[in-house]
Amino acid sequence: MSDLYVCIGSACFVKGSEKVIERLKYHVAEKKLNIDINLKGSFCLDNCKHGVIIKFEDKLFKNLSPSNIDERLKIEILPYIEQYLEANNE
């Protein structure tokens, strides 16, 4: 099982991390990735000026917001996670 962190520190919180988490939960459940992923909050991922930040393994996804999270999840983040999980489950 892999950990997926969402920054909930003050800078990311102000930029909408709560809404990002809501959408992330929805998309992860929809793709049934919640079997392979632990969704966790992190108080700082050391990229405050690029928040909201999501970290999966060693990869950071920066500049997320409630207005772009659905598109970024579908185009960039979930495909990366699926590819990683597929490569590491064999």
Side-chain angles (χ1 to χ4, degrees), residues 34-48:
N34 48 351
I35 296 167
D36 298 313
I37 292 176
N38 287 317
L39 182 58
K40 296 183 174 187
S42 175
F43 282 108
C44 188
L45 292 172
D46 296 326
N47 279 275
C48 296

Side-chain angles (χ1 to χ4, degrees), residues 3 5 7 10 12-13 15 18 23 27 31-32 39 43 47-48 50 55 72 76 78 83 90:
D3 294 329
Y5 294 94
C7 183
S10 56
C12 287
F13 184 80
K15 293 178 180 180
E18 187 175 16
R23 299 307 301 156
H27 286 282
K31 291 224 173 230
K32 297 183 177 43
L39 182 58
F43 282 108
N47 279 275
C48 296
H50 298 290
K55 180 180 179 187
R72 297 273 309 271
E76 179 184 2
L78 292 177
Q83 183 179 19
E90 295 177 0

Side-chain angles (χ1 to χ4, degrees), residues 71-88:
E71 182 178 356
R72 297 273 309 271
L73 280 167
K74 289 178 184 176
I75 293 171
E76 179 184 2
I77 300 167
L78 292 177
Y80 178 86
I81 292 171
E82 289 172 319
Q83 183 179 19
Y84 176 90
L85 292 174
E86 191 174 295
N88 288 288

